[in-house]
């Protein structure tokens, strides 16, 4: 029908007209990062950028890769973030639909009887009313950009949720890597403790025999027993800690652990990373991107709050056919239409619009402070990780030297005791310190590797 076509043409042309309407949101410019222009420490010349290094290349161990892939597929917390992204995407779709007219096909019929005292004929009248048409629901003409600002806020919220999902993904990758390193540390420390238990058990057997034949004192025997119980206590503690750590890793990956051979911590190598400049973090770290999108969303909401001070114009209309008889709906002359524009401007609302605008501006200020705090936190994360990498490398070197010295001390003290030139107390102290040095060296190795994982996370990894 020609009226329906003209009605649709009007709606379409109105939409094109509104496409040029300006938003009242403040122009957005990225805030200057409130951090120094350089990190405190640099990196070796051949170090690589974290953003260009996929996690599969950074974590080269096949077993760890399998654990991370399993976690990315089955971790329930990551599934929650994916669901939140889907919710934000749906909210954006709803808000985008607000900018478009809602058209609906309508058809209806009515039959009624009017008593005689309510019509001019004085006799009861039975009448019919049939209608078919296309209706336009109340559609706001977005002259001031209110709907567009709300759509922009929804879009930025959606992008923030995507960035938050990337941040959760990166966090999960590093959590699995850290948990696996902690588990491997406990495995190696437990293996060392068990070897010590076996060695001291044999020493106890030998000293028991010596006491029986009168070749040594019972004091020396009790000292050997003390060494053994200390090693047994440490083994029991590490065994419990190892079980708890395995349970924590299973929770992260969402299932049983991979049973492939685990490489030693000393044989594990992670690539050297280049920190770059602090400003580069703004485009690489997903938590910073999420905070910036939240700031943009708050900025867009100011435009919607400002638009509330201007008139709201809405259109409602209908075009179709109407007839008293069903077979007359499409007859000549049955065309019917209605057009009802409406303009609304509150004259008094008790200061509601002013308060709404002030609230939107305060939320923008809060988002700005949160963004700047996130940037400062990221800057500290990188500096801390760089300092840890350097400091822990020195600690590991010292721990290795200390272990070598303790092994030599234990060997010499045993020789001196066997030669009768030293008391067994000297051997006791040397053996106790040797066990502590072995444990500390493994702990230092794991701490250095953990600092490298932390640096990968601080620099944003390949989350995007």
């Amino acid at each position: 029908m020609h009226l329906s076509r003209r009605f649709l043409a009007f709606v379409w042309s109105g939409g094109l007209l509104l496409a040029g309407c300006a938003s009242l949101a403040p122009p957005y410019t990225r805030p200057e990062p409130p951090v120094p222009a350089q990190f405190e420490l640099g990196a070796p010349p051949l170090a690589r950028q974290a953003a260009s290094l996929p996690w599969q290349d950074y974590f080269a161990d096949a077993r760890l890769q399998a654990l991370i892939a399993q976690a990315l597929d089955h971790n329930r917390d990551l599934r929650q973030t994916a669901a939140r992204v889907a919710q934000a995407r749906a909210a954006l779709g709803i808000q985008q639909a607000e900018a478009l007219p809602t058209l609906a096909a309508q058809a209806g019929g009515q039959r009624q009887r009017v008593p005689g005292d309510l019509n001019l004929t004085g006799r009861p009248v039975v009448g019919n009313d049939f209608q078919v048409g296309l209706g336009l629901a109340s559609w706001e003409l977005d002259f001031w950009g209110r709907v567009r600002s709300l759509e922009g806020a929804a879009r930025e919220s959606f992008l923030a949720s995507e960035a938050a999902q990337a941040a959760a993904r990166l966090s999960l990758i590093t959590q699995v890597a850290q948990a696996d390193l902690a588990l491997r540390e406990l495995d190696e420390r437990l293996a060392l403790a068990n070897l010590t238990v076996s060695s001291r058990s044999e020493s106890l057997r030998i000293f028991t025999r010596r006491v029986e034949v009168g070749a040594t004192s019972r004091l020396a025997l009790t000292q050997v027993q003390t060494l053994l119980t200390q090693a047994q206590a440490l083994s029991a503690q590490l065994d419990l800690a190892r079980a708890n750590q395995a349970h924590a890793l299973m929770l992260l990956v969402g299932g049983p652990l991979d049973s492939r051979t685990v490489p030693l911590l000393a044989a594990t190598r992670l690539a050297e990373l280049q920190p770059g400049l602090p400003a580069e973090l703004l485009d690489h770290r997903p938590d910073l991107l999420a905070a910036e999108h939240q700031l943009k969303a708050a900025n867009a909401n100011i435009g919607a709050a400002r638009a509330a001070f201007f008139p709201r114009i809405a259109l409602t209309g209908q075009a179709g056919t109407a007839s008293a008889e069903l077979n007359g709906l499409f007859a000549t002359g049955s065309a019917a239409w209605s057009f009802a524009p409406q303009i609304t401007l509150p004259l008094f609302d008790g200061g509601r619009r002013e308060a709404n605008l002030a609230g939107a501006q305060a939320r923008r200020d809060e988002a700005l402070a949160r963004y700047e705090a996130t940037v400062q936190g990221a800057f500290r994360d990188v500096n801390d990780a760089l300092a840890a990498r350097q400091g822990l490398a020195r600690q590991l070197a010292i721990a290795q030297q200390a272990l070598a010295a303790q092994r030599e001390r234990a060997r010499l003290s045993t020789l001196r005791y066997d030669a009768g030139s030293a008391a067994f107390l000297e051997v006791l102290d040397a053996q106790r310190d040797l066990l502590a040095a072995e444990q500390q060296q493994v702990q230092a190795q794991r701490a250095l590797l953990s600092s490298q994982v932390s640096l990968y996370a601080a620099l944003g990894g390949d989350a995007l």
Side-chain angles (χ1 to χ4, degrees):
M1 296 175 57
H2 64 283
L3 282 177
S4 297
R5 288 196 296 268
R6 284 197 292 184
F7 180 70
L8 288 172
F10 169 76
V11 171
W12 180 254
S13 62
L16 292 177
L17 176 64
L18 293 176
C21 294
S23 171
L24 296 179
Y28 176 80
T29 55
R30 173 180 281 182
E32 287 295 323
V35 294
Q38 299 282 343
F39 291 112
E40 294 178 358
L41 299 174
L46 299 180
R48 299 178 62 181
Q49 290 284 348
S52 63
L53 189 60
W55 66 263
Q56 294 91 338
D57 293 340
Y58 190 67
F59 303 107
D61 174 43
R63 175 182 174 276
L64 180 54
Q65 288 180 352
L67 289 175
I68 293 174
Q70 182 180 351
L72 293 175
D73 289 337
H74 301 292
N75 183 268
R76 272 55 180 181
D77 291 336
L78 194 60
R79 289 183 181 179
Q80 293 179 45
T81 62
R84 286 193 285 271
V85 172
Q87 294 172 31
R89 183 184 295 110
L92 174 59
I94 293 173
Q95 194 57 55
Q96 287 174 330
E98 292 292 326
L100 301 174
T102 300
L103 302 176
Q106 300 173 342
Q110 181 180 0
R111 182 176 177 83
Q112 63 180 356
R113 179 183 183 278
V114 180
D117 58 351
L118 294 181
N119 63 70
L120 298 178
T121 65
R123 292 180 297 177
V125 175
V126 176
N128 299 322
D129 182 9
F130 299 98
Q131 295 182 357
V132 174
L134 187 66
L136 168 67
S138 181
W139 175 40
E140 180 178 348
L141 300 181
D142 195 25
F143 286 114
W144 322 115
R146 188 188 74 87
V147 177
R148 180 175 301 171
S149 293
L150 293 175
E151 179 185 339
R155 179 178 295 104
E156 295 300 333
S157 295
F158 165 64
L159 295 175
S161 70
E162 282 194 324
Q165 182 185 27
R169 181 176 177 271
L170 176 61
S171 176
L172 179 60
I173 291 172
T174 54
Q175 284 181 56
V176 172
Q178 297 282 26
D180 184 61
L181 288 174
L183 184 62
R184 289 159 58 183
E185 174 201 334
L186 291 169
D187 281 338
E188 293 188 25
R189 291 179 61 195
L190 182 59
L192 289 171
N194 288 337
L195 285 175
T196 303
V197 169
S198 298
S199 173
R200 292 180 181 179
S201 295
E202 179 63 17
S203 296
L204 180 63
R205 186 191 67 79
I206 294 173
F207 271 76
T208 300
R209 182 59 180 160
R210 286 183 178 181
V211 171
E212 290 174 352
V213 299
T216 191
S217 67
R218 294 192 61 85
L219 176 61
L221 178 62
T222 58
Q223 290 172 333
V224 172
Q225 289 175 329
T226 300
L227 281 176
L228 175 60
T229 55
Q230 289 174 346
Q232 289 172 332
L234 177 61
S235 177
Q237 293 172 359
L238 293 174
D239 192 50
L240 175 59
R242 197 265 177 207
N244 291 336
Q245 186 61 41
H247 299 158
L249 183 54
M250 289 173 62
L251 180 62
L252 284 174
V253 303
L257 303 181
D258 194 285
S259 59
R260 274 177 275 194
T261 303
V262 181
L264 295 175
L265 291 173
T268 301
R269 295 290 182 268
L270 297 177
E272 293 288 347
L273 297 177
Q274 173 62 251
L277 299 175
E280 296 173 354
L281 286 181
L282 304 180
D283 296 320
H284 296 321
R285 272 193 51 147
D287 58 336
L288 298 185
L289 293 174
E292 185 175 11
H293 285 305
Q294 291 169 352
L295 175 59
K296 290 179 179 179
N299 197 67
N301 281 325
I302 293 178
R306 287 176 174 176
F309 288 85
F310 295 87
R312 293 181 62 178
I313 303 172
L315 302 180
T316 302
Q318 181 178 356
T321 66
S323 175
E325 299 296 335
L326 186 60
N327 57 6
L329 278 176
F330 300 100
T332 303
S334 63
W337 60 270
S338 66
F339 178 62
Q342 183 181 20
I343 182 169
T344 304
L345 176 62
L347 298 178
F348 176 76
D349 59 5
R352 180 176 302 168
R353 288 171 296 168
E354 289 82 357
N356 184 48
L357 176 58
Q361 292 170 334
R363 285 187 289 273
R364 190 269 312 276
D365 294 341
E366 178 189 4
L368 175 59
R370 182 168 55 247
Y371 171 74
E372 292 178 339
T374 306
V375 172
Q376 290 175 334
F379 182 81
R380 178 188 172 179
D381 289 343
V382 176
N383 273 331
D384 286 350
L386 290 171
R389 182 177 66 177
Q390 186 178 84
L392 290 170
R394 292 199 302 267
Q395 290 183 29
L396 176 59
I398 293 171
Q400 291 171 336
Q401 294 172 2
L403 177 58
Q406 288 297 338
R407 282 175 176 163
E408 181 65 10
R409 175 192 171 197
R411 186 184 71 83
L412 293 176
S413 62
T414 301
L415 291 176
R416 281 168 53 81
Y417 173 74
D418 291 340
S421 59
F424 189 73
L425 183 60
E426 183 178 319
V427 178
L428 178 71
D429 289 340
Q431 292 290 339
R432 184 185 298 113
D433 292 344
L434 175 59
L435 177 59
E438 290 174 336
Q439 298 288 315
Q440 290 172 1
Q441 193 235 10
V442 175
Q443 289 174 306
Q445 286 176 336
R446 199 273 301 173
L448 177 59
L449 291 171
S450 293
S451 72
Q452 293 176 286
V453 174
S454 297
L455 179 59
Y456 182 76
L459 294 175
D462 72 332
L464 299 180

